[in-house]
């Protein structure tokens, strides 16, 4: 089974068949997909300028989508390093069990679905890395009353966001400002 970096090399390799390059980008989402697989794919396609069903996108657009995904993954990996360092210090200081604040991190291992979008076509428009920076910054401050991405005032925590996240808490309504009113108006 290929890892993220190996798949990224295939996406960038001009000697590879275009279908393999597209397939490899899709496979990267099995390793890292902040909105969930389908929503992250839809986001990358719309930001890079090709359709989700486009079987022969411009190779430069595939690489642009990969660049955005890699930048977001770097943000997430840096967060995980900081988290590990903090937990190591806490353990040294005698706090053996992580607090409830850390439940979110524990249940979003590897960055999959950290900002889950239950509707794959409704997701923030900003670059993935920017969304993750906002989300991580929100985790590092006191709880607020608004969505860290869109600024919406209604947050509803759900525990049943989909078949792959049955036990994973998620932020319902993590959307872009253009869809915030519709997403935040949904009943829990």
């Amino acid at each position: 089974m290929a890892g993220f970096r190996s798949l990224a090399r295939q996406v960038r390799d001009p000697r590879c068949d275009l279908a393999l390059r597209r397939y490899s980008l899709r496979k990267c989402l099995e390793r890292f997909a902040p909105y969930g697989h389908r929503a992250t794919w839809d986001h990358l396609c719309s930001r890079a300028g090709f359709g989700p069903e486009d079987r022969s996108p411009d190779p430069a657009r595939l690489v642009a989508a990969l660049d955005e995904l890699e930048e977001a993954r770097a943000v997430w990996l840096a967060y995980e390093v900081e988290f590990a360092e903090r937990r190591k210090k806490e353990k040294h200081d005698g706090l053996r069990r992580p607090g409830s604040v850390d439940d979110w991190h524990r249940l979003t291992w590897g960055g999959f679905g950290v900002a889950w979008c239950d509707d794959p076509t409704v997701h923030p428009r900003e670059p993935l890395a920017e969304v993750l920076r906002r989300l991580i910054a929100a985790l590092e401050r006191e709880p607020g009353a608004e969505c860290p991405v869109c600024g919406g005032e209604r947050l509803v925590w759900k525990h049943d966001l989909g078949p792959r996240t049955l036990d994973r808490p998620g932020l319902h309504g993590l959307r872009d400002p253009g869809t915030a009113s519709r997403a935040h108006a949904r009943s829990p």
Side-chain angles (χ1 to χ4, degrees):
M1 179 188 270
F4 185 93
R5 290 182 299 177
S6 174
L7 292 165
R9 275 192 300 274
Q10 288 179 345
V11 174
R12 284 197 169 85
D13 189 349
R15 296 170 298 173
C16 288
D17 178 64
L18 185 56
L20 176 62
R21 294 174 75 179
R22 181 185 179 279
Y23 174 78
S24 296
L25 180 59
R26 291 289 305 248
K27 292 295 279 183
C28 284
L29 298 181
E30 291 180 10
R31 310 313 185 266
F32 181 72
Y35 301 153
H37 190 280
R38 290 178 57 210
T40 304
W41 177 249
D42 189 77
H43 171 85
L44 292 173
C45 291
S46 64
R47 296 249 326 141
F50 62 93
E53 300 300 323
D54 187 353
R55 298 292 180 213
S56 56
D58 179 9
R61 294 181 188 269
L62 286 176
V63 172
L66 176 64
D67 288 342
E68 181 172 345
L69 187 63
E70 285 180 320
E71 182 184 0
R73 185 171 178 261
V75 168
W76 181 255
L77 292 176
Y79 166 71
E80 292 220 331
V81 166
E82 291 173 14
F83 177 84
E85 289 171 0
R86 179 177 57 83
R87 281 298 300 139
K88 186 176 180 179
K89 183 182 179 315
E90 287 174 352
K91 287 179 183 180
H92 180 268
D93 293 342
L95 183 61
R96 304 305 290 167
R97 297 184 71 176
S100 61
V101 171
D102 294 329
D103 284 347
W104 178 83
H105 182 268
R106 182 177 55 82
L107 295 171
T108 56
W109 181 86
F112 184 86
V114 296
W116 183 266
C117 296
D118 47 343
D119 180 348
T121 62
V122 180
H123 44 72
R125 290 187 183 125
E126 293 89 358
L128 283 171
E130 179 60 30
V131 172
L132 288 178
R133 283 185 197 101
R134 290 181 194 169
L135 190 59
I136 290 167
L139 290 172
E140 295 170 349
R141 64 179 184 254
E142 292 295 317
E146 63 183 33
C147 177
V149 173
C150 71
E153 295 179 3
R154 183 162 184 261
L155 291 178
V156 178
W157 285 93
K158 293 182 74 173
H159 291 274
D160 59 343
L161 293 176
R164 301 226 18 200
T165 60
L166 289 176
D167 298 322
R168 178 181 302 167
L171 187 58
H172 172 72
L174 189 58
R175 309 288 188 249
D176 67 340
T179 60
S181 59
R182 186 180 80 208
H184 291 284
R186 293 180 185 162
S187 59

